[in-house]
């Protein structure tokens, strides 16, 4: 690989690194500002989250305020966070008292495990259907998948999850409606996430395949006598894959949005569940840490998507230089 | 071919980042069946003040004393106890030969140190007027600055849990739950799961259950489904709407016990709306308690026109079931100066409309529907009550800054098994965050004060206090509570503790 082409790949990586730094600062500042802007008194909220409603009274709130120095000015508390972030210290949860990094690592593990099942599952469900639909645009398969996609995108994850629980847990009794111990507990939350994602990927794959299949370069490849295998591998696959790979970055937005709801619904101890609880409790370090992790994952995935797209379509990278 | 390749590419890119689970591998002993407890209560960290309810219920941590089904203190880590005639010195003699889960012996100094930590934390014990906590060779001495009769009950609260010296770090924070109970922590994954295993060195008889897990499932419907489908052996805090369905399940037995948790309407008696006792009485008369109890609590017997249910005999006043009386309510309001305005809403002599705001919260899922039922029922009197659903902490905060007008809440009078401890806090002269606001009564103060002192028969004073609260209505009782538990028919020996201090796992055995 020449110097120029190395630069071609390094440039976006450096750009993403700068972006990651900016994301960290902006996410931290936003998390802080939004939590400060929310109604309710932080010490009272934390006392209720720590000790439960019956013990969460003014005396408990006073203890919390004193222990955590919550009456310090917001600016001081924020600078404190920035200072600790520089030392790669995300602080301690104000509710549990445990290090945020420790809690995040565990929660992220559960979330990635769930996402790691949901994403391939969505690909298994969505891409073959999209392919079938794309090969015969306007055909019955196309219409059926269009209807299904619209329906699944329109149903909120919460309702979809409840529907699946009703069918598979209550009526059929096959799968547990909550828990996170074994593979059976994975099925319903992963399926809830995957169906929403598959609805989108099926349509993108369908359009992409339809365009590529009907393109002049595919027809030309066949005319010039290339065997079908070479036509597909050299010309079809690469071209059809670009929008699908780019979709991965977009899927992540849907995934995060879905995770927050699905984890709460299925009592899954992941990052989404933790984020909701931390917001209710005004647990600022956990909100900041979680948002930071999500933001950095977002940057990372987009960097991978960029690289993959550049590999699949060198014209893009050339255009960028 | 084309289809297959593109599908494979798609799948390959989507699994490009392998999932890494941090869920620690469980070390399951083959054949050992795990008793699965499912409950709605999350827990946060190892500190007993925050998560002690789970450790106590799962038999991990123990306190000096426990409570019997009537709430009377019984020996636990303390074998016996005594109080000096002036009520200021309490002596708790420790059970000999007790060991912590790390093998270290339970000493009086270790117990005293745990209690000092509990006193510094946000715990019921921190509200006790303690002058000193001392250790002798075999006993813990607690010196008080003034008599506080419910002290033994406070020591039965989970936040007064006794942990090993090694459980605390140098700063005095709890780092690990090293208790003395029949079960010890196998895996602690806050906020949702706790796995425990039998502690062979427990001082009591060896439990039949070897392993148990506690899983938090906050949705009531999901808990019911787990019980029904056999994914839970003990399912706690059943929602009233699911009880009838679960009773029909052949694999379950449903137990319900009345618990001293009362849904009450807190009123700001310092506000121009509720200062007049006649207005508070009118509101109470306008509530269709039977209807609310039947429709939303699913048991008409839970209709409450006094704070304490019949199970707390000393605190309960015999009375016929509460009845709605709108005519009498309107008369009382008219006597208090409230007349219907042009739009039907009451106005007083100063043309002030009777429009007020009631706040409630969702920790107890029945509270918002009860609030809307009250809204409709008060509307019939000409009271325009809006409902705001928020966080439970809005209530103590609104109490403190004086902005609170009404609040619908579920108050637990059994957090400390003697209700006196909670009453002293809720109805003290300045009011309480979860009790009276802008209201006090010297007669009630005298009755509660008398109950705090060590001498005499408390029954009369308890009845007197209950009578004052029922008449003056600083808070309006609406419905009592039941604890519903679904028990797998594979289990024997399950009993339900109305004070929810323990699931009594050590008494349970597998039938098959």
């Amino acid at each position: 690989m020449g110097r120029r082409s190395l630069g071609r790949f390094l440039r976006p990586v450096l750009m993403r690194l700068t972006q990651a730094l900016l994301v960290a600062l902006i996410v931290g500042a936003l998390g802080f500002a939004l939590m400060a802007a929310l109604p309710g008194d932080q010490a009272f909220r934390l006392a209720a989250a720590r000790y439960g409603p019956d013990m969460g009274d003014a005396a408990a709130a006073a203890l919390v305020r004193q222990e955590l120095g919550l009456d310090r000015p917001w600016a001081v508390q924020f600078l404190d966070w920035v200072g600790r972030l520089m030392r790669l210290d995300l602080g301690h949860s104000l509710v549990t008292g445990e290090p945020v990094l420790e809690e995040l690592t565990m929660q992220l593990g559960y979330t990635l495990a769930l996402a790691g099942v949901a994403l391939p599952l969505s690909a298994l469900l969505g891409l073959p259907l999209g392919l079938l639909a794309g090969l015969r645009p306007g055909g019955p398969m196309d219409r059926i998948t269009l209807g299904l996609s619209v329906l699944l995108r329109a149903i909120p994850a919460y309702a979809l999850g409840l529907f699946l629980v009703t069918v598979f847990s209550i009526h059929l009794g096959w799968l547990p409606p909550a828990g996170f111990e074994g593979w059976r507990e994975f099925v319903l939350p992963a399926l809830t996430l995957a169906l929403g994602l598959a609805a989108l990927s099926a349509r993108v794959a369908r359009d992409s395949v339809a365009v590529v299949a009907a393109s002049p370069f595919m027809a030309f490849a066949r005319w010039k006598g290339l065997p079908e295998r070479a036509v597909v591998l050299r010309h079809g696959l690469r071209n059809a894959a670009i929008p699908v790979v780019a979709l991965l970055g977009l899927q992540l937005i849907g995934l995060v949005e879905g995770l927050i709801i699905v984890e709460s619904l299925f009592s899954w101890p992941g990052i989404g569940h933790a984020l909701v609880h931390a917001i209710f409790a005004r647990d600022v370090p956990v909100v900041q840490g979680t948002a930071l992790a999500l933001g950095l994952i977002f940057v990372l995935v987009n960097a991978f998507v960029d690289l993959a797209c550049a590999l699949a379509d060198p014209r893009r990278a050339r255009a960028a230089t | 071919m084309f289809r297959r390749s593109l599908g494979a590419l798609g799948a390959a890119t989507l699994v490009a980042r392998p999932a890494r689970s941090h869920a620690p591998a469980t070390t399951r002993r083959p054949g050992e069946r795990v008793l699965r407890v499912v409950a709605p209560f999350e827990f946060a960290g190892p500190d007993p003040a925050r998560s002690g309810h789970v450790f106590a219920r799962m038999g991990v941590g123990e306190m000096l004393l426990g409570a019997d089904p009537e709430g009377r203190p019984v020996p636990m880590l303390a074998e016996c106890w005594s109080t000096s005639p002036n009520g200021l010195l309490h002596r708790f003699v420790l059970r000999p030969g007790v060991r912590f889960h790390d093998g270290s012996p339970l000493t009086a100094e270790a117990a005293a140190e745990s209690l000092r930590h509990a006193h510094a934390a946000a715990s019921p014990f921190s509200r006790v007027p303690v002058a000193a906590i001392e250790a002798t060779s075999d006993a813990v001495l607690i010196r008080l600055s003034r008599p506080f009769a419910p002290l033994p009950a406070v020591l039965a609260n989970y936040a007064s849990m006794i942990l090993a010296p090694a459980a605390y770090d140098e700063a005095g924070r709890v780092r690990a739950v090293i208790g003395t109970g029949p079960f010890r922590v196998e895996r602690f994954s806050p906020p949702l799961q706790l796995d425990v295993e039998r502690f062979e060195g427990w001082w009591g008889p060896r439990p039949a259950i070897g392993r148990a897990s506690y899983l938090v499932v906050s949705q009531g419907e999901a808990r019911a489904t787990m019980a029904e489908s056999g994914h839970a052996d003990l399912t706690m805090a059943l929602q009233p709407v699911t009880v009838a369905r679960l009773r029909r399940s052949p694999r379950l037995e449903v137990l319900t016990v009345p618990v001293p948790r009362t849904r009450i309407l807190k009123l700001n008696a310092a506000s121009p709306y509720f200062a007049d006792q006649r207005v508070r009485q009118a509101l109470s008369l306008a509530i269709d308690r039977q209807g609310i109890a039947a429709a939303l609590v699913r048991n008409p017997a839970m209709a409450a026109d006094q704070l304490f249910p019949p199970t707390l005999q000393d605190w309960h006043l015999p009375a016929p079931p509460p009845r709605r009386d709108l005519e009498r309510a309107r008369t009382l309001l008219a006597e208090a100066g409230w007349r219907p305005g042009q739009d039907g809403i009451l106005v007083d002599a100063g043309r002030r409309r009777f429009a007020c705001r009631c706040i409630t919260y969702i920790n107890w899922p029945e509270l918002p529907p009860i609030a809307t039922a009250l809204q409709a029922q008060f509307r019939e009197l000409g009271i325009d009550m809006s409902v705001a659903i928020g966080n439970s902490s809005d209530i103590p905060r609104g109490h403190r800054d004086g902005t609170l007008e009404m609040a619908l809440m579920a108050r637990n009078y059994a957090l400390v098994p003697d209700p006196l401890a909670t009453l002293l806090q809720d109805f003290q002269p300045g009011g309480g965050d979860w009790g009276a606001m802008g209201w006090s009564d010297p007669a009630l103060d005298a009755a509660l004060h008398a109950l705090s002192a060590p001498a005499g028969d408390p029954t009369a004073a308890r009845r007197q206090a209950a009578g004052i609260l029922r008449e003056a209505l600083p808070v309006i009782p609406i419905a009592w509570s039941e604890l519903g538990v679904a028990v797998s028919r594979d289990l024997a020996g399950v009993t339900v503790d109305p004070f929810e201090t323990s699931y009594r796992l050590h008494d349970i055995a597998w039938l098959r």
Side-chain angles (χ1 to χ4, degrees):
Chain A
M1 194 180 276
R3 227 182 132 137
R4 247 188 89 175
S5 56
L6 190 69
R8 213 172 72 201
F9 285 101
L10 274 183
R11 226 179 122 105
V13 172
L14 282 175
M15 223 175 74
R16 291 294 179 190
L17 270 179
T18 322
Q19 203 179 352
L21 256 175
L22 280 175
V23 163
L25 276 176
I26 293 172
V27 157
L30 262 182
F32 215 85
L34 289 175
M35 297 304 281
L38 283 175
D41 184 294
Q42 193 188 4
F44 275 95
R45 288 272 176 153
L46 285 168
R50 277 186 183 187
Y51 308 112
D54 285 300
M55 277 308 296
D57 57 11
L63 269 177
V64 169
R65 201 184 303 278
Q66 184 198 345
E67 177 199 323
L68 301 173
L70 295 179
D71 33 18
R72 292 175 302 161
W74 281 101
V76 174
Q77 294 186 47
F78 179 66
L79 287 177
D80 191 33
W81 182 80
V82 174
R84 276 188 283 108
L85 185 67
M86 296 295 169
R87 302 192 300 273
L88 297 179
D89 174 9
L90 293 177
H92 288 73
S93 160
L94 305 185
V95 174
T96 64
E98 299 297 305
V100 172
L101 195 63
E102 227 169 75
E103 291 197 345
L104 260 183
T105 317
M106 195 195 75
Q107 290 150 359
L108 206 58
Y110 281 109
T111 295
L112 289 183
L114 184 58
V117 175
L119 275 178
L121 193 61
S122 82
L124 279 177
L125 294 170
L127 295 184
L129 286 177
L131 276 167
L132 289 177
L135 289 173
R136 301 260 183 288
M141 197 61 200
D142 192 18
R143 285 164 197 273
I144 291 170
T145 52
L146 175 66
L148 268 179
S149 295
V150 170
L151 187 73
L152 286 174
R153 285 307 288 177
I155 299 177
Y158 196 84
L160 186 61
L162 280 180
F163 173 75
L164 292 176
V165 166
T166 313
V167 173
F168 291 102
S169 299
I170 299 181
H171 286 295
L172 298 172
W174 291 350
L175 297 163
F180 44 90
E181 277 286 270
W183 68 269
R184 293 160 63 86
E185 280 83 357
F186 267 89
V187 179
L188 288 183
L191 195 61
T192 309
L193 278 173
L195 283 176
L197 297 176
L200 191 62
S201 59
R203 292 320 290 169
V204 174
R206 177 252 177 229
D207 289 348
S208 176
V209 170
V211 169
V212 170
S215 67
F217 63 79
M218 288 286 281
F220 177 68
R222 285 193 187 97
W223 288 340
K224 74 180 180 187
L226 279 181
E228 186 63 17
R229 183 186 164 82
V231 172
V232 169
L233 285 182
R234 199 175 301 163
H235 300 284
L237 203 59
R238 198 176 245 212
N239 283 297
I242 296 164
V244 178
V245 172
L247 176 71
L248 186 71
L250 287 176
Q251 291 272 45
L252 194 75
I253 303 175
L255 192 62
V256 168
E257 172 195 300
L259 276 171
I260 288 176
I261 298 192
V262 166
E263 288 185 355
S264 299
L265 181 63
F266 289 96
S267 294
W268 192 269
I271 208 164
H273 176 268
L275 183 62
V276 172
H277 277 66
I279 291 173
F280 280 135
R282 305 285 187 271
D283 192 346
V284 179
V286 173
V287 172
Q288 285 175 313
T290 313
L292 188 66
L294 289 174
L296 292 181
I297 288 175
F298 200 78
V299 172
L300 195 71
V301 169
N302 276 320
F304 274 120
V305 168
D306 276 4
L307 274 175
C309 285
L311 283 173
D313 183 2
R315 288 170 305 177
R316 289 173 163 229
R318 274 201 298 275
T321 49
Chain B
M1 181 62 228
F2 182 83
R3 298 173 202 186
R4 232 180 9 209
S5 306
L6 191 53
L9 175 93
T13 43
L14 289 168
V15 287
R17 284 170 49 233
R20 192 163 60 97
S21 171
H22 285 262
T26 48
T27 50
R28 291 277 139 95
R29 281 182 283 274
E32 179 86 271
R33 190 168 170 188
V34 179
L35 189 152
R36 290 159 304 175
V37 181
V38 166
F41 313 107
E42 292 199 2
F43 50 99
D47 178 5
R50 300 179 209 189
S51 312
H53 55 100
V54 177
F55 305 134
R57 288 169 185 169
M58 291 296 286
V60 173
E62 294 176 311
M63 288 69 74
L64 287 186
L65 303 175
D68 72 3
E70 274 75 48
R72 287 183 296 254
V74 292
M76 202 178 237
L77 290 178
E79 214 171 26
C80 57
W81 64 97
S82 57
T83 309
S84 65
N86 64 4
L88 292 178
L89 177 65
H90 294 251
R91 183 164 183 269
F92 300 88
V93 179
L94 295 184
R95 187 180 294 278
V98 175
R99 291 201 169 267
F100 288 108
H101 296 159
D102 64 352
S104 62
L106 167 70
T107 61
E109 185 46 46
E113 192 54 29
S114 276
L115 291 177
R116 287 180 201 121
H117 284 295
H119 194 254
S123 68
F125 190 43
S126 70
R127 319 283 157 90
V128 175
V130 172
I133 301 169
E134 294 158 14
T136 65
S137 60
D138 65 341
V140 175
L141 304 181
I142 299 180
R143 293 182 196 280
L144 302 181
S145 54
R146 58 186 156 80
F148 190 83
L151 174 70
V154 172
L155 294 179
N157 170 264
Y158 57 78
S160 308
M161 189 173 285
I162 306 298
L163 299 181
Y168 303 90
D169 69 7
E170 283 165 6
R173 281 193 305 205
V174 182
R175 302 315 306 164
V177 191
I178 309 171
T180 56
F183 295 91
R184 66 170 163 206
V185 176
E186 186 187 350
R187 186 174 71 151
F188 178 52
S189 340
L192 297 181
Q193 192 171 1
L194 170 72
D195 295 344
V196 299
E197 60 186 357
R198 182 171 46 222
F199 172 49
E200 301 292 349
W202 189 46
W203 51 268
R206 184 175 188 263
I209 297 288
R211 304 179 70 232
S213 78
Y214 177 95
L215 178 68
V216 177
V217 176
S218 46
Q219 311 276 338
E221 230 356 275
R223 280 198 305 283
T225 307
M226 290 189 79
E228 243 176 346
S229 57
H231 289 101
D233 302 306
L234 263 187
T235 311
M236 311 308 296
L238 299 177
Q239 272 182 22
V241 287
T242 61
V243 167
R245 193 179 93 215
L246 293 180
R247 278 193 206 281
R248 290 195 292 273
S249 167
R251 68 169 80 191
L252 297 173
E253 184 189 0
V254 175
L255 306 175
T256 51
V257 291
V259 291
R261 175 183 285 282
T262 309
R263 289 93 171 194
I264 55 177
L265 191 63
K266 174 185 169 99
L267 300 173
N268 180 356
S271 86
Y273 301 115
F274 308 115
D276 192 321
Q277 182 169 315
R278 289 169 298 191
V279 174
R280 301 197 297 269
Q281 284 169 337
L283 287 181
S284 179
L285 286 167
I287 299 172
D288 179 5
R289 293 180 169 87
Q290 303 277 359
I292 289 175
L296 300 173
V297 186
R298 301 286 170 124
N299 182 356
M302 292 296 110
D305 65 345
Q306 53 183 314
L307 277 191
F308 299 108
T311 44
L312 289 176
Q313 288 171 10
D314 280 5
W315 294 94
H316 179 82
L317 305 167
R323 291 207 166 278
R324 196 174 191 219
D325 189 345
L326 281 178
E327 274 319 300
R328 173 100 185 101
R330 288 199 180 97
T331 311
L332 283 169
L333 283 169
E335 284 172 14
W338 292 96
R339 315 249 165 217
Q342 283 175 342
D343 57 355
I345 301 300
L346 299 175
V347 287
D348 68 2
R351 308 301 297 163
R352 185 205 314 271
R353 272 166 57 89
F354 206 136
C356 51
R357 185 162 165 267
C358 174
I359 58 178
T360 190
Y361 53 99
I362 53 170
N363 299 54
W364 299 99
E366 73 279 6
L367 289 182
I370 292 179
T372 52
L374 293 177
Q375 183 180 43
Q377 289 163 16
F378 291 157
R379 186 68 182 74
E380 288 180 57
L381 276 187
I383 293 170
D384 180 13
M385 181 181 97
S386 63
V387 176
I389 299 163
N391 185 272
S392 66
S393 68
D394 297 339
I395 293 171
R397 182 166 168 260
H399 178 99
R400 291 291 154 160
D401 64 20
T403 54
L404 187 130
E405 288 174 334
M406 305 166 97
L408 178 69
M409 57 210 205
R411 181 62 167 155
N412 185 359
Y413 295 101
L415 197 65
V416 171
D418 183 346
L420 176 61
T422 310
L423 287 184
L424 281 168
Q425 206 175 308
D426 290 357
F427 298 100
Q428 57 190 316
D433 291 357
W434 292 94
M437 180 173 183
W439 177 91
S440 63
D441 182 332
L444 180 70
D445 293 341
L448 295 180
H449 186 74
L451 283 168
S452 289
D457 170 29
T459 308
R462 286 174 180 166
R463 293 265 167 87
Q464 189 199 352
I468 294 170
L469 290 171
R470 189 180 181 197
E471 190 60 31
L473 293 169
V475 298
I476 301 179
I478 292 159
W480 297 309
S481 303
E482 282 177 311
L483 176 65
V485 181
V487 184
S488 158
R489 291 208 183 269
D490 292 354
L491 293 175
V494 177
T495 51
V496 181
D497 170 14
F499 296 95
E500 297 178 76
T501 52
S502 170
Y503 296 147
R504 299 172 179 159
L505 299 183
H506 55 278
D507 288 339
I508 299 177
W510 292 110
L511 273 178
R512 44 179 175 235

